[in-house]
PDB file of all heavy atoms in Angstrom:
ATOM      1  N   ALA A 192     -39.936  21.656  -2.760  1.00 94.00           N
ATOM      2  CA  ALA A 192     -40.496  23.011  -2.772  1.00 94.00           C
ATOM      3  C   ALA A 192     -40.960  23.384  -4.165  1.00 94.00           C
ATOM      4  O   ALA A 192     -42.052  23.968  -4.332  1.00 94.00           O
ATOM      5  CB  ALA A 192     -39.432  24.009  -2.310  1.00 94.00           C
ATOM      6  N   MET A 193     -40.202  23.047  -5.203  1.00 92.00           N
ATOM      7  CA  MET A 193     -40.607  23.404  -6.559  1.00 92.00           C
ATOM      8  C   MET A 193     -41.819  22.606  -7.018  1.00 92.00           C
ATOM      9  O   MET A 193     -42.667  23.088  -7.765  1.00 92.00           O
ATOM     10  CB  MET A 193     -39.426  23.191  -7.526  1.00 92.00           C
ATOM     11  CG  MET A 193     -38.225  24.075  -7.230  1.00 92.00           C
ATOM     12  SD  MET A 193     -38.631  25.818  -6.919  1.00 92.00           S
ATOM     13  CE  MET A 193     -39.354  26.280  -8.530  1.00 92.00           C
ATOM     14  N   ALA A 194     -41.928  21.349  -6.539  1.00 93.00           N
ATOM     15  CA  ALA A 194     -43.115  20.548  -6.860  1.00 93.00           C
ATOM     16  C   ALA A 194     -44.342  21.186  -6.183  1.00 93.00           C
ATOM     17  O   ALA A 194     -45.459  21.204  -6.776  1.00 93.00           O
ATOM     18  CB  ALA A 194     -42.932  19.106  -6.382  1.00 93.00           C
ATOM     19  N   GLN A 195     -44.169  21.672  -4.974  1.00 92.00           N
ATOM     20  CA  GLN A 195     -45.283  22.332  -4.297  1.00 92.00           C
ATOM     21  C   GLN A 195     -45.698  23.618  -5.002  1.00 92.00           C
ATOM     22  O   GLN A 195     -46.887  23.922  -5.093  1.00 92.00           O
ATOM     23  CB  GLN A 195     -44.869  22.642  -2.834  1.00 92.00           C
ATOM     24  CG  GLN A 195     -44.764  21.358  -1.978  1.00 92.00           C
ATOM     25  CD  GLN A 195     -44.149  21.630  -0.610  1.00 92.00           C
ATOM     26  OE1 GLN A 195     -43.151  22.360  -0.519  1.00 92.00           O
ATOM     27  NE2 GLN A 195     -44.740  21.047   0.424  1.00 92.00           N
ATOM     28  N   VAL A 196     -44.732  24.344  -5.534  1.00 89.00           N
ATOM     29  CA  VAL A 196     -45.067  25.554  -6.300  1.00 89.00           C
ATOM     30  C   VAL A 196     -45.864  25.185  -7.537  1.00 89.00           C
ATOM     31  O   VAL A 196     -46.883  25.820  -7.861  1.00 89.00           O
ATOM     32  CB  VAL A 196     -43.785  26.327  -6.699  1.00 89.00           C
ATOM     33  CG1 VAL A 196     -44.127  27.425  -7.732  1.00 89.00           C
ATOM     34  CG2 VAL A 196     -43.132  26.928  -5.490  1.00 89.00           C
ATOM     35  N   ARG A 197     -45.435  24.125  -8.247  1.00 89.00           N
ATOM     36  CA  ARG A 197     -46.158  23.698  -9.439  1.00 89.00           C
ATOM     37  C   ARG A 197     -47.589  23.276  -9.107  1.00 89.00           C
ATOM     38  O   ARG A 197     -48.475  23.360  -9.933  1.00 89.00           O
ATOM     39  CB  ARG A 197     -45.401  22.557 -10.137  1.00 89.00           C
ATOM     40  CG  ARG A 197     -44.131  23.008 -10.855  1.00 89.00           C
ATOM     41  CD  ARG A 197     -43.548  21.929 -11.716  1.00 89.00           C
ATOM     42  NE  ARG A 197     -42.982  20.842 -10.924  1.00 89.00           N
ATOM     43  CZ  ARG A 197     -41.738  20.818 -10.489  1.00 89.00           C
ATOM     44  NH1 ARG A 197     -40.917  21.798 -10.756  1.00 89.00           N
ATOM     45  NH2 ARG A 197     -41.288  19.787  -9.794  1.00 89.00           N
ATOM     46  N   ALA A 198     -47.777  22.804  -7.861  1.00 90.00           N
ATOM     47  CA  ALA A 198     -49.117  22.403  -7.413  1.00 90.00           C
ATOM     48  C   ALA A 198     -49.881  23.586  -6.804  1.00 90.00           C
ATOM     49  O   ALA A 198     -50.929  23.404  -6.193  1.00 90.00           O
ATOM     50  CB  ALA A 198     -49.004  21.275  -6.404  1.00 90.00           C
ATOM     51  N   ASN A 199     -49.337  24.794  -6.960  1.00 87.00           N
ATOM     52  CA  ASN A 199     -49.940  26.018  -6.421  1.00 87.00           C
ATOM     53  C   ASN A 199     -50.026  26.037  -4.887  1.00 87.00           C
ATOM     54  O   ASN A 199     -50.866  26.714  -4.302  1.00 87.00           O
ATOM     55  CB  ASN A 199     -51.339  26.247  -7.013  1.00 87.00           C
ATOM     56  CG  ASN A 199     -51.290  26.547  -8.480  1.00 87.00           C
ATOM     57  OD1 ASN A 199     -50.464  27.313  -8.950  1.00 87.00           O
ATOM     58  ND2 ASN A 199     -52.158  25.903  -9.245  1.00 87.00           N
ATOM     59  N   ASP A 200     -49.133  25.293  -4.245  1.00 90.00           N
ATOM     60  CA  ASP A 200     -49.099  25.270  -2.785  1.00 90.00           C
ATOM     61  C   ASP A 200     -47.880  26.085  -2.334  1.00 90.00           C
ATOM     62  O   ASP A 200     -46.920  25.561  -1.752  1.00 90.00           O
ATOM     63  CB  ASP A 200     -48.995  23.818  -2.288  1.00 90.00           C
ATOM     64  CG  ASP A 200     -49.093  23.718  -0.769  1.00 90.00           C
ATOM     65  OD1 ASP A 200     -49.365  24.755  -0.135  1.00 90.00           O
ATOM     66  OD2 ASP A 200     -48.916  22.601  -0.237  1.00 90.00           O
ATOM     67  N   VAL A 201     -47.934  27.381  -2.593  1.00 88.00           N
ATOM     68  CA  VAL A 201     -46.796  28.257  -2.316  1.00 88.00           C
ATOM     69  C   VAL A 201     -46.486  28.376  -0.830  1.00 88.00           C
ATOM     70  O   VAL A 201     -45.318  28.347  -0.430  1.00 88.00           O
ATOM     71  CB  VAL A 201     -47.014  29.638  -2.956  1.00 88.00           C
ATOM     72  CG1 VAL A 201     -45.880  30.598  -2.584  1.00 88.00           C
ATOM     73  CG2 VAL A 201     -47.069  29.495  -4.474  1.00 88.00           C
ATOM     74  N   PRO A 202     -47.498  28.509   0.056  1.00 89.00           N
ATOM     75  CA  PRO A 202     -47.166  28.626   1.483  1.00 89.00           C
ATOM     76  C   PRO A 202     -46.331  27.447   1.980  1.00 89.00           C
ATOM     77  O   PRO A 202     -45.348  27.646   2.716  1.00 89.00           O
ATOM     78  CB  PRO A 202     -48.552  28.649   2.141  1.00 89.00           C
ATOM     79  CG  PRO A 202     -49.448  29.240   1.129  1.00 89.00           C
ATOM     80  CD  PRO A 202     -48.970  28.670  -0.165  1.00 89.00           C
ATOM     81  N   ASN A 203     -46.702  26.229   1.605  1.00 93.00           N
ATOM     82  CA  ASN A 203     -45.907  25.060   2.055  1.00 93.00           C
ATOM     83  C   ASN A 203     -44.573  25.007   1.348  1.00 93.00           C
ATOM     84  O   ASN A 203     -43.585  24.519   1.911  1.00 93.00           O
ATOM     85  CB  ASN A 203     -46.671  23.778   1.830  1.00 93.00           C
ATOM     86  CG  ASN A 203     -47.713  23.522   2.939  1.00 93.00           C
ATOM     87  OD1 ASN A 203     -47.437  23.786   4.087  1.00 93.00           O
ATOM     88  ND2 ASN A 203     -48.877  23.059   2.557  1.00 93.00           N
TER      89      ASN A 203
END
Side-chain angles (χ1 to χ4, degrees):
M193 297 314 297
Q195 290 171 316
V196 170
R197 287 190 290 271
N199 294 317
D200 187 6
V201 175
N203 280 321

